[in-house]
Amino acid sequence: MDRSDNLPFVVSSTHESPTEMPRYLMLAEALRAAMQDGRLPAGARLASVREAAKQRQVSLNTVLAAYRHLESRGLIEARPQSGYYVRAQLAAPPLPTATVPESEAQPADLVVLNQIAAVLAANQRQDHIDLSLACPKGGDFYPGAKLGKLVHELTRRKPELLTDYCLPPGPLLLRQEICRHAHSLGMELDPAQICLTNGCMEALQLALRAVTRPGDTVGLESPTYFNLLPLLDRLGLKAVEIPTHPETGLAVDAVELLLQEKRLQAIVAMPNVHNPLGCCMPLAAKQRLARLVNDYRVPLIEDALYAELQFDMPLAPAVKAFDRDGWVLVCASYTKTLAPGFRIGWIEAGRFSRDVADLKFCSSVAQPALLAEATGLFLQMGGYEQHLRRLRRLYAAQLDRLRGLLADHFPVGTRATAPQGGFLLWVELPEGCDSALLFRQALQHKISIMPGTLYSPSGRYNRHIRLSGCYPFSERHIKALLQLGELTNKQLG
Ligand SMILES: Cc1ncc(COP(=O)(O)O)c(C=O)c1O
């Protein structure tokens, strides 16, 4: 059956500006909508590439790219000698409800740190199933063998990498490669302004120390990355929670209001592939956010750690791409994509670059030269893009699988995000569930999850959990997820 003639999509413009959605994605979206509303049911055959190109007045390449995109998201499948067919979709839970009004609160750092310590300790044990941490595990996710070879070769060719003291700013090659790859997120960066850091965490810490003083107030997304809360607390900073939508991210209207009222000295945000929501802010919202922080002269610390793990190509740009006067400090690392053990991170701190470089020197001097050089070489050799493409397909498929398991085995009324990248799911459990209790019950069954209460300074989200999907899916993992579903059902009696 070929139902695609009924679809309304025709591209009239021959021009495609870099800020518009690419044509193949528009076509993929139109097809996806038709699958959702039943015009293209499971089993339907899509028009052939040639037919579709003719009907929709686009090139063969556009249709092919759209079909490949849908195929990589598991929505259609290619059957040899026959064409593309709509796949039967896994059941999926609805999205979580949009979140919270802002509130001012002191980060509850002890509670957070105690719970993090419990998760970390549990995950050290062999018999434990980790559904909690954002730490991809094993050879499926990292090019460990290639990196190992590079390190080996470098120690032989450049023994001084081990014997000479490493001083900032660190290997030029790596800083150049960071800037070259930053183009894919629309950023024009200067290698001289890149400060290498010990993971993204040190980058965030340096950024906060450079732009704030004790007693200042920092705007955070709600929910936010849990490790920011004890960090803010230790720096003597107050947090304001800013409403954050599970599909569109940080609410820029709320940011504008807070800036007008002069209530923020800095903002920390994850505009591309938010942790834990997995969402990306729409382009116009990012542009407006960049304009606002420049107009109000309030630093925005952009955590771009997961930005390269967006599922859709080309990658949506960073807010930093629209930074006019250097008020955006962008932080990232290669711990999720290349080598967690190398701990190579970086920050481009805009007008605060000098302060950040000074702070880095007096806190940890520099990065290990051998590991920084090996990372630079790997990025230069050209296998990184291919590796990222593979990761994106893998994580998109794993998250679909997780969402399917949630829909089938968790109580009715469970909601979950539909991430646009990364490997994390934010799950809202039905009324009557308690995620802190579920966290403790799961630990007794040797399963670790992240309780939602860790993700906001006010400890809200006590019906939410964060699940990760960055491990090879084994029977043990599936059993653990079913067990978690059972525990949740039991909570509801
Ligand atoms: C949003 C976010 N930012 C920063 C970090 C810290 O990253 P790194 O391990 O590179 O220090 C993490 C780690 O999970 C994270 O999820």
Side-chain angles (χ1 to χ4, degrees), residues 257-268:
L257 209 61
L258 287 163
L259 291 173
Q260 276 169 2
E261 292 172 357
K262 299 192 175 11
R263 288 177 57 198
L264 299 179
Q265 278 70 51
I267 302 169
V268 183

Side-chain angles (χ1 to χ4, degrees), residues 291-410:
R291 204 169 45 244
L292 282 173
V293 296
N294 276 278
D295 288 352
Y296 283 89
R297 304 168 68 83
V298 170
L300 168 69
I301 300 172
E302 178 172 19
D303 183 337
L305 180 58
Y306 298 92
E308 288 183 321
L309 289 177
Q310 293 176 56
F311 296 146
D312 288 341
M313 293 293 287
L315 301 180
V319 174
K320 178 74 184 172
F322 310 107
D323 186 17
R324 197 180 61 219
D325 304 323
W327 289 93
V328 181
L329 300 83
V330 63
C331 304
S333 82
Y334 294 98
T335 52
K336 309 294 176 190
T337 53
L338 262 190
F342 284 15
R343 304 274 324 135
I344 301 291
W346 58 275
I347 172 169
E348 203 278 9
R351 56 175 50 234
F352 302 94
S353 290
R354 187 65 259 160
D355 285 348
V356 163
D358 290 347
L359 281 166
K360 166 72 188 178
F361 190 61
C362 70
S363 48
S364 60
V365 181
Q367 285 315 104
L370 174 65
L371 304 181
E373 186 90 17
T375 308
L377 265 183
F378 184 90
L379 293 173
Q380 188 188 39
M381 279 166 32
Y384 187 55
E385 300 307 333
Q386 194 188 350
H387 169 65
L388 285 177
R389 277 199 295 276
R390 208 180 64 78
L391 280 186
R392 290 181 191 119
R393 279 198 301 273
L394 189 64
Y395 287 141
Q398 301 229 138
L399 287 181
D400 275 351
R401 185 105 188 264
L402 252 182
R403 283 163 45 76
L405 287 167
L406 285 172
D408 290 344
H409 299 281
F410 276 61

Side-chain angles (χ1 to χ4, degrees), residues 134-135 198-202 204 225-227 270 273-275 303 305-306 332-336 340 343-345 424 466:
C135 301
N198 195 346
C200 189
M201 202 61 228
E202 190 187 31
L204 293 169
Y225 170 46
F226 60 81
N227 230 2
M270 294 162 262
V273 190
H274 179 274
N275 173 4
D303 183 337
L305 180 58
Y306 298 92
S333 82
Y334 294 98
T335 52
K336 309 294 176 190
R343 304 274 324 135
I344 301 291
L424 300 169
R466 191 195 74 178

